[in-house]
Amino acid sequence: MPAVRIAGIYLASRLVTTALFLLAARLSPSGSRFGPDADLATYVVAWDAQYYLRIASEGYPAELPLTAAGEVAQNAWAFMPFFPWAAGATGWLLGSWAAGAVALAVVAGYLCCLVLRSILKPAIGETAALWAVVFFASAPLAAMFQLGYAEAPFLLLVLLGIRSVQRRQYGPLYGIVPAMAFTRPGVLAFALFLGLFGMNRWLNRSREPFARREALHVLALAAMATLLGFSWQVVAGLVTGRDDAYLATELAWRRLWVGDSGGFVPFEGWPQAADYWFRSWGLDPVWGPICVGVLVAAVGAVLAFSPHVTRLGPEIRLWAASYLLYLLAVFLPQSSVFRILFPLSPLWGAVAAPRSLSWRLGVLAACLVGQWWWIWNMYGLGTEFWHIP
């Protein structure tokens, strides 16, 4: 049975990740962020997981904290409530919030593997789909399945959403989309995905009829996802009394990298980051925007023309394009970029499509090396400015 086979793959990968965490803890120097006595329990609630824990225990601040300069400081409003509250409820049964958070992440990761196989199998076949699951479960960011982060539950909702769209079963999306909106930022990307999917269905209606009922579902869901995508800003504003509470909170993180930019401007983050990184690397910053343009064009070409990607079908490609466009509009590329790209995991199907065993084994080895690099730098060390997951 595929579920049993995937369970074996997933269990093996979780044991490897656990071993890498334990190795990082053992080798961690005294000057590391978490000290030489760090253990798995330390890592589970490290970094952003501290905010989730705080939300579960204290809720959200009614008054935004300020820095000495009078700017909004980093605070819990940057994080959605579904995961910390669900982890708290689960942790009440298991004995601690951390235990609940890990349980949710582990279970969500396994379910992600099941759904990933189901959405890839029709396009690339059973064997390649299982290899995609192997890569996904062992990927450089596979640690997300064992930490107090919302990434795994959010990705599960994304994958379920893609599967619903693939199967033209829109009913479940009326529950999936709201859950997605309050798990992690990104539902606006799903709104764009639904909009692009609807346009694609209409343009290809001669090959696959696009019934009025289906069109109304897609339109209603895209509108709902859009409204929910801005709802957290409204909630934060009502509770704190500041209309800009959410954006000001998000910009508190951006200031760490590029200073005060004067407010949020869509699509400004990538040029800002290019300037920052090129200066940090001692390169001429004038090349930054040029490299960003080349990168955007190259990624677009891969999504549009790569045979292994096009083979995955329009739904996965449209999701990837939508999410990347969303990141281009709102994200400032920095050390969290690898984690932020986690929702693009369906593209593992393109990596698994080549049938060469040497290729697949090489990819798996690269995944494990990348996983160790990420765990060691972000948790074993965590001391440099780019050691922030």
Side-chain angles (χ1 to χ4, degrees), residues 199-276:
M199 293 174 59
N200 182 70
R201 290 284 288 110
W202 186 81
L203 291 172
N204 292 282
R205 63 191 183 281
S206 60
R207 286 183 289 177
E208 181 184 357
F210 192 33
R212 180 179 300 178
R213 179 182 177 86
E214 182 182 358
L216 289 175
H217 274 303
V218 173
L219 182 62
L221 286 163
M224 181 177 72
T226 301
L227 291 174
L228 288 171
F230 292 101
S231 64
W232 192 241
Q233 297 183 39
V234 175
V235 173
L238 291 173
V239 174
T240 63
R242 284 190 53 158
D243 293 339
D244 68 338
Y246 176 72
L247 288 179
T249 297
E250 288 287 1
L251 290 175
W253 270 269
R254 185 172 293 198
R255 283 198 304 272
L256 290 176
W257 298 90
V258 296
D260 187 3
S261 60
F264 172 73
V265 178
F267 299 100
E268 184 181 52
W270 286 76
Q272 285 182 334
D275 181 82
Y276 170 84

Side-chain angles (χ1 to χ4, degrees), residues 284-335:
D284 188 346
V286 73
W287 289 99
I290 297 173
C291 289
V292 170
V294 171
L295 177 63
V296 171
V299 172
V302 169
L303 291 178
F305 304 115
S306 169
H308 294 312
V309 176
T310 57
R311 186 178 170 187
L312 300 180
E315 293 83 8
I316 291 176
R317 293 165 66 205
L318 288 174
W319 161 248
S322 299
Y323 187 70
L324 287 170
L325 184 59
Y326 166 78
L327 293 184
L328 194 63
V330 306
F331 183 58
L332 179 96
Q334 25 80 4
S335 60

Side-chain angles (χ1 to χ4, degrees), residues 353-373:
R355 297 182 178 181
S356 168
L357 179 60
S358 59
W359 164 261
R360 288 168 171 170
L361 292 176
V363 171
L364 177 58
C367 285
L368 295 175
V369 171
Q371 188 178 164
W372 166 248
W373 179 90

Side-chain angles (χ1 to χ4, degrees), residues 14 17 21 105 137 139-148 371 374-375 379:
R14 299 286 59 76
T17 299
F21 268 124
L141 268 292
M144 287 293 107
F145 301 132
Q146 297 175 222
L147 298 172
Q371 188 178 164
W374 193 83
I375 289 173
Y379 288 88

Side-chain angles (χ1 to χ4, degrees), residues 8-379:
I9 294 170
Y10 188 68
L11 177 60
S13 64
R14 299 286 59 76
L15 291 175
V16 170
T17 299
T18 300
L20 294 179
F21 268 124
L22 292 173
L23 181 60
R26 182 172 182 177
L27 298 179
S28 181
S30 58
S32 68
R33 181 180 182 88
F34 304 108
D37 298 323
D39 55 17
L40 293 178
T42 303
Y43 295 150
V44 166
V45 295
W47 297 112
D48 287 354
Q50 299 175 62
Y51 285 99
Y52 288 121
L53 174 58
R54 193 175 305 165
I55 291 167
S57 60
E58 303 173 8
Y60 291 89
E63 183 176 345
L64 293 178
L66 302 178
T67 66
E71 299 169 321
V72 174
Q74 297 175 6
N75 66 86
W77 282 109
F79 304 91
M80 306 303 178
F82 181 81
F83 176 74
W85 291 349
T90 307
W92 182 80
L93 298 174
L94 298 178
S96 70
W97 183 89
V102 172
L104 286 182
V106 170
V107 171
Y110 172 65
L111 295 177
C112 281
C113 291
L114 293 179
V115 182
L116 182 64
R117 170 199 165 270
S118 71
I119 67 176
L120 292 176
K121 180 183 175 182
I124 61 177
E126 177 71 15
T127 300
L130 285 177
W131 272 103
V133 169
V134 171
F135 299 154
F136 169 66
S138 306
L141 268 292
M144 287 293 107
F145 301 132
Q146 297 175 222
L147 298 172
Y149 273 71
E151 262 64 17
F154 180 80
L155 179 59
L156 175 60
L157 294 167
V158 168
L159 294 175
L160 288 172
I162 292 173
R163 185 173 68 173
S164 295
V165 171
Q166 281 182 330
R167 297 180 177 182
R168 313 297 189 253
Q169 297 173 348
Y170 302 104
L173 286 170
Y174 288 96
I176 292 171
V177 169
M180 190 186 301
F182 295 103
T183 298
R184 179 186 173 278
V187 74
L188 286 175
F190 202 81
L192 177 60
F193 161 64
L194 290 169
L196 293 177
F197 170 76
M199 293 174 59
N200 182 70
R201 290 284 288 110
W202 186 81
L203 291 172
N204 292 282
R205 63 191 183 281
S206 60
R207 286 183 289 177
E208 181 184 357
F210 192 33
R212 180 179 300 178
R213 179 182 177 86
E214 182 182 358
L216 289 175
H217 274 303
V218 173
L219 182 62
L221 286 163
M224 181 177 72
T226 301
L227 291 174
L228 288 171
F230 292 101
S231 64
W232 192 241
Q233 297 183 39
V234 175
V235 173
L238 291 173
V239 174
T240 63
R242 284 190 53 158
D243 293 339
D244 68 338
Y246 176 72
L247 288 179
T249 297
E250 288 287 1
L251 290 175
W253 270 269
R254 185 172 293 198
R255 283 198 304 272
L256 290 176
W257 298 90
V258 296
D260 187 3
S261 60
F264 172 73
V265 178
F267 299 100
E268 184 181 52
W270 286 76
Q272 285 182 334
D275 181 82
Y276 170 84
W277 285 110
F278 270 66
R279 291 181 188 276
S280 298
W281 296 331
L283 302 175
D284 188 346
V286 73
W287 289 99
I290 297 173
C291 289
V292 170
V294 171
L295 177 63
V296 171
V299 172
V302 169
L303 291 178
F305 304 115
S306 169
H308 294 312
V309 176
T310 57
R311 186 178 170 187
L312 300 180
E315 293 83 8
I316 291 176
R317 293 165 66 205
L318 288 174
W319 161 248
S322 299
Y323 187 70
L324 287 170
L325 184 59
Y326 166 78
L327 293 184
L328 194 63
V330 306
F331 183 58
L332 179 96
Q334 25 80 4
S335 60
S336 298
V337 66
F338 302 107
R339 176 173 59 84
I340 298 300
L341 294 175
F342 194 60
L344 295 175
S345 293
L347 293 178
W348 280 116
V351 181
R355 297 182 178 181
S356 168
L357 179 60
S358 59
W359 164 261
R360 288 168 171 170
L361 292 176
V363 171
L364 177 58
C367 285
L368 295 175
V369 171
Q371 188 178 164
W372 166 248
W373 179 90
W374 193 83
I375 289 173
W376 172 244
N377 281 284
M378 305 302 172
Y379 288 88

